[in-house]
Amino acid sequence: MSDIKKFMFVNRKAPHGTIYALESLEVVLITAAFDQDVSLVFLDDGVYQLKKGQQTKGIATKNFSPAYRALEGYDIEKLYVEKESLEARGLSAADLLVDVTVLERAEMGELMDQQDVVLSF
Amino acid sequence: MKFGIVVNEGPYQHQSSDTAYLFCKAAIEKGHEVWRVFFYHDGVNNASKLTEPPQDDRHIVNRWSKLNEEHGVDLVVCVAAALRRGIKEENLAKGFRISGLGQLVEAGVKTDRLIVFGD
Amino acid sequence: MLHIINKSPLTNSALDSCLRVAQAGDILLIEDAVYAATTGNLFEGKIREAMGRFKVYVLQPDLEARGLADRLIAGVTPVDYGGFVELTTTNKNCQSWL
């Protein structure tokens, strides 16, 4: 598999309430291992996946949020968050556990247009 | 064209399995190739051979098996998602195989279009 | 790009988000999203507005299944599953707004 494609993962769901965020992260890590061009997008409730300070002990589930910090080690550095999604939730980039690029909605739309494969879970 | 399909939801619970199947059928009728269907999340339940719907209902699992038999569609069930939900070799329906997430990435790389069906 | 939406806009923000972020292209309403393409629902105005920027399609079998085939907003194009396949081939990429 020598061809490199642009893979975008669009995360629009909050973590913990459903398993989508966790299983999406599992695909992201595998995709990076295939040397593809990977971007992650966090939109709507998906931005909650990146909220600092998640403590899941009380709900007896695995806290997978530290894994977002490990993405850099897999050469996944393109993390995008939509500005209005953050603002609508009273959050700013400082509330997030990783460094992200905050995009205006039109910039986000343009970025989506440029992808080869868009995966959403 | 060569298609890859992702199914993220369980059969009978959510319409996505039906939509995905009808999409595959239409694509094949139009002369396209459905190269692989990848079952992820609760979608792995599409592969259970223990499925027994009432007689007057569609048999979603057998429908997939037939697609494999008649058109060689590769039906791949994600191993991690499957083990979480009790889908194993021993209860895997005909035509399905269990493999890793790499098969999903490969479908993205090798097909012309990857279409996701889910909730 | 083809944007595939499968949820009613009255219970879920998927269509709203798509209209906010995407700039142009084709929108295909399937499953519970077909309610968005019917006259008299709260979202009708937004669909009409969106038709300036997007070409809007609806999966006809889903509309029929829900008893709303006679309520389709003028200007929304009905397609069957074959038409759905066609849309994925004429667009260079697609996104399911799950």
Side-chain angles (χ1 to χ4, degrees):
Chain A
M1 291 206 305
S2 55
D3 11 9
I4 295 179
K5 282 192 175 180
K6 287 186 170 184
F7 276 74
M8 175 181 273
F9 293 87
V10 179
N11 297 287
R12 294 185 54 251
K13 292 177 177 137
H16 312 306
T18 55
I19 197 173
Y20 299 105
L22 168 61
E23 287 191 332
S24 170
L25 196 54
E26 289 178 352
V27 186
V28 169
L29 297 174
I30 296 283
T31 308
F34 278 74
D35 292 324
Q36 299 297 309
D37 179 343
V38 178
S39 317
L40 266 71
V41 156
F42 298 88
L43 257 182
D44 300 322
D45 280 352
V47 302
Y48 287 130
Q49 293 180 22
L50 300 179
K51 175 72 180 65
K52 267 183 194 164
Q54 297 176 43
Q55 302 280 354
T56 61
K57 221 173 159 181
I59 60 168
T61 61
K62 186 169 146 188
N63 183 5
F64 57 92
S65 66
Y68 294 102
R69 276 200 287 260
L71 290 173
E72 217 182 339
Y74 291 83
D75 289 325
I76 300 174
E77 283 155 356
K78 293 187 222 172
L79 274 65
Y80 302 99
V81 173
E82 191 228 3
K83 193 167 169 242
E84 282 177 55
S85 298
L86 269 184
E87 286 172 358
R89 286 157 185 82
L91 299 175
S92 71
D95 294 304
L96 307 182
L97 46 77
V98 280
D99 288 333
V100 298
T101 305
V102 178
L103 296 181
E104 297 287 344
R105 56 184 175 174
E107 296 174 305
M108 183 67 91
E110 248 166 64
L111 194 65
M112 287 172 169
D113 271 338
Q114 294 162 9
Q115 304 302 312
D116 296 311
V117 179
V118 180
L119 281 158
S120 41
F121 299 105
Chain B
M1 251 185 194
K2 201 164 162 176
F3 282 96
I5 305 291
V6 184
V7 178
N8 287 334
E9 294 299 323
Y12 304 104
Q13 173 76 17
H14 192 284
Q15 203 189 338
S16 57
S17 298
D18 293 291
T19 308
Y21 169 77
L22 293 167
F23 180 93
C24 289
K25 236 181 85 190
I28 291 166
E29 276 166 18
K30 280 184 162 286
H32 298 295
E33 179 192 357
V34 178
W35 187 62
R36 176 173 293 160
V37 182
F38 190 85
F39 298 90
Y40 197 38
H41 301 284
D42 274 359
V44 299
N45 291 312
N46 278 273
S48 170
K49 76 171 178 194
L50 303 175
T51 306
E52 279 182 47
Q55 281 203 342
D56 60 351
D57 199 357
R58 71 230 187 270
H59 199 306
I60 295 180
V61 177
N62 289 356
R63 246 174 16 183
W64 289 121
S65 296
K66 222 174 134 200
L67 215 54
N68 164 269
E69 197 184 318
E70 293 176 357
H71 303 283
V73 178
D74 190 16
L75 308 174
V76 182
V77 180
C78 168
V79 60
L83 291 179
R84 271 190 185 118
R85 295 165 176 87
I87 300 289
K88 297 180 166 190
E89 292 291 346
E90 62 210 67
N91 58 348
L92 203 61
K94 216 172 131 224
F96 289 85
R97 61 188 183 92
I98 295 181
S99 190
L101 275 171
Q103 304 276 308
L104 168 56
V105 183
E106 193 192 23
V109 174
K110 291 202 172 166
T111 62
D112 301 305
R113 299 286 186 277
L114 189 68
I115 322 287
V116 183
F117 295 90
D119 186 37
Chain C
M1 174 177 247
L2 173 66
H3 301 276
I4 304 167
I5 316 280
N6 74 338
K7 295 191 189 65
S8 165
L10 304 177
T11 56
N12 187 288
S13 67
L15 182 53
D16 250 330
S17 297
C18 171
L19 296 180
R20 184 179 80 238
V21 172
Q23 301 303 300
D26 290 340
I27 293 179
L28 173 63
L29 306 168
I30 67 169
E31 299 172 359
D32 285 349
V34 301
Y35 292 118
T38 59
T39 53
N41 92 87
L42 261 181
F43 215 81
E44 184 180 352
K46 283 192 184 172
I47 285 288
R48 290 190 184 278
E49 205 184 293
M51 288 194 292
R53 288 189 290 145
F54 300 90
K55 183 136 177 55
V56 183
Y57 299 85
V58 65
L59 193 59
Q60 176 79 4
D62 275 330
L63 198 62
E64 285 170 5
R66 288 160 178 81
L68 288 159
D70 57 346
R71 301 276 300 259
L72 186 61
I73 296 172
V76 176
T77 309
V79 294
D80 59 7
Y81 288 95
F84 182 175
V85 172
E86 198 95 332
L87 282 170
T88 63
T89 63
T90 52
N91 281 277
K92 71 172 180 23
N93 51 9
C94 67
Q95 173 171 191
S96 297
W97 288 75
L98 304 180

